[in-house]
Amino acid sequence: MELDLQQYLGELETLVNIDSVSSQPSGADRIAAFMKGKFQSIGWTVEEVQLDPSVGPCLTITNRPAQSYDVLLLAHMDTVFPIGTAAKRPFRTDGVRAYGPGVIDCKGGMLSGFYALKALDEKKLLQNASICVFLNSDHEGISSKFSAQINRQLSRRSRYALVLEAGRANGNLVYKRKGIARYEATFHGVAAHAGVDFQKGHSAVEEMAHWILALQSATDLSKETTVNVGRAEGGVTISAVPGEAHASIDIRYYEKEEVDRVTGIMNELAAHPRTKGTHAEYTGGITRPPMLPSEKTMQLCHWIDMIGSELGIPFGWMASGGGSDGSFAAETGTPTIDGLGPVGGGAHSDGEYMEIDTVIPRYRLLCRTIEKIIASS
């Protein structure tokens, strides 16, 4: 069955015009209710799980009771945009692209996934297959802090995982992703009047500066490891030596040893302050493991290449430094592919867009990929 593009765009408009920032559960509640209704309308079982009151619910959706699944589809219902964003820049199209908060991250792919499964179900192609869909509401901002464990549990029971994030702006799919580690560092000094008692003060900001220089220098592009001090703040007024400061540190990596190397640098900095009268501590750790391809993952890539060639859909493969729930699936050893949603770009920005003419081709690619996996059992 072919996808009704106008119906799809109409429903995508509904989803995009619901603010669903991760930190405000009410919006994700509405997205979950919408998706729950869609899957229940085709007779699928939907389990709603409230993991923490600070975030919206997760949905575990299945076509039939099963101990294991042929395919696990992953998507998230939350966005990065604060309440009020949809009112300021609601869903719109210009005939070529669709725009709006979350249009491709990840509402477009999530909706495409539903229609792919609906079509396969109606064609009786899922009668001997077990399918699971997992939709979470804590992806953005807190790196699926609450839902990761359920993701892993479902992944261990699944033969393959397909992530419905958008295809890259150039149409590519994603077979590999970096892991992410996040840290918060706090620096303590002694506050003092900058003019009257300067020598009595010990600057927390000065100590933080030493950390920033050391950590930024820890980037090793030969191993594709990046270290970014993305936020730094300290002091209360220009006329005072700052007694406290804070920094937020982001590490992207493929090799766990790289995280150990960078934390070793932080341990050394904490043990031997460069600024007299100051001390520092840090908290944090790995929030997403890397999504690394196995031989079975590369076999799946080969299948998708053949399907794309048969359908006349051009795309390539790439690695990405961005975070994905596919990382938790791959960590369990389940072959995982990402970027199977419609093509788009500008995620996390006012210019987020989806290429409308890719919706149906990527829907077809997803349908055929699921069919191929089922046939391979």
Side-chain angles (χ1 to χ4, degrees), residues 243-260:
E244 190 165 304
H246 303 274
S248 300
I249 303 137
D250 177 286
I251 304 171
R252 306 289 168 123
Y253 70 98
Y254 284 124
E255 301 172 14
K256 169 65 166 54
E257 292 75 15
E258 285 293 277
V259 178
D260 296 337

Side-chain angles (χ1 to χ4, degrees), residues 191-213:
H193 192 289
V196 178
D197 293 317
F198 180 81
Q199 289 179 306
K200 293 181 179 180
H202 301 285
S203 174
V205 167
E206 181 180 344
E207 181 63 12
M208 179 173 66
H210 287 289
W211 279 57
I212 291 172
L213 291 173

Side-chain angles (χ1 to χ4, degrees), residues 40-83:
Q40 287 181 332
S41 73
I42 61 172
W44 287 43
T45 299
V46 182
E47 179 186 1
E48 187 170 325
V49 183
Q50 186 68 58
L51 296 172
D52 190 87
S54 65
V55 296
C58 297
L59 301 180
T60 301
I61 305 162
T62 54
N63 65 327
R64 65 180 187 176
Q67 293 299 310
S68 61
Y69 306 105
D70 294 291
V71 184
L72 172 66
L73 278 76
L74 300 171
H76 63 91
M77 299 181 283
D78 56 326
T79 71
V80 299
F81 302 104
I83 299 294

Side-chain angles (χ1 to χ4, degrees), residues 67-68 72 149-159 328-329 331-334:
Q67 293 299 310
S68 61
L72 172 66
Q149 192 55 37
I150 295 179
N151 183 326
R152 291 186 181 101
Q153 290 170 358
L154 294 172
S155 297
R156 290 188 186 99
R157 296 163 56 189
S158 303
R159 293 176 52 228
F328 302 117
E331 183 185 30
T332 69
T334 301

Side-chain angles (χ1 to χ4, degrees), residues 204-226:
V205 167
E206 181 180 344
E207 181 63 12
M208 179 173 66
H210 287 289
W211 279 57
I212 291 172
L213 291 173
L215 289 171
Q216 294 289 140
S217 298
T219 290
D220 185 348
L221 296 181
S222 71
K223 294 187 176 181
E224 299 188 59
T225 301
T226 58

Side-chain angles (χ1 to χ4, degrees), residues 13-29:
E13 178 176 10
T14 297
L15 292 171
V16 169
N17 286 344
I18 298 172
D19 287 314
S20 56
V21 60
S22 315
S23 59
Q24 298 290 328
S26 59
D29 285 346

